[in-house]
Amino acid sequence: MERANSFIRLAPLLLYIATHELVHVVRFERGEGNFDASAEERQDEEGKVHRITHHLLKPVTDSDLNLVLDCFSDRYRIGDLMQ
Ligand SMILES: [Zn+2]
């Protein structure tokens, strides 16, 4: 996919990170996430949180936010570096 601007911008990146962290908070509050999980369970939880974050932000996305969503998608797995 060709893009006019392939640089990640700060505002959509911060939006993604804030949304992602809020999803973690809500899931912990509901007992769906677990601080004492094994490494494998934490990786599964991280994948779920990324998918939920993607789902939440998709309706309001634009090209700048799309680039951020792509970077945290299963296609690139950049999100693994932030665990
Ligand atoms: Zn996370």
Side-chain angles (χ1 to χ4, degrees), residues 8-78:
I8 289 180
R9 293 182 182 273
L10 185 59
L13 178 62
L14 291 179
L15 175 63
Y16 186 92
I17 292 170
T19 306
H20 178 105
E21 295 308 324
L22 285 172
V23 171
H24 273 303
V25 168
V26 169
R27 287 181 55 77
F28 281 127
E29 178 68 23
R30 289 177 169 179
E32 294 166 349
N34 177 9
F35 269 118
D36 302 318
S38 68
E40 190 179 337
E41 288 169 327
R42 283 199 309 268
Q43 198 161 4
D44 283 351
E45 175 67 9
E46 202 56 33
K48 284 180 194 164
V49 171
H50 278 299
R51 284 192 293 280
I52 292 167
T53 305
H54 190 104
H55 181 74
L56 287 171
L57 293 177
K58 198 69 183 165
V60 297
T61 198
D62 58 16
S63 61
D64 288 337
L65 184 54
N66 251 334
L67 185 57
V68 174
L69 293 178
D70 278 355
C71 289
F72 284 101
S73 72
D74 290 339
R75 197 153 52 110
Y76 293 109
R77 306 300 304 174
I78 288 175

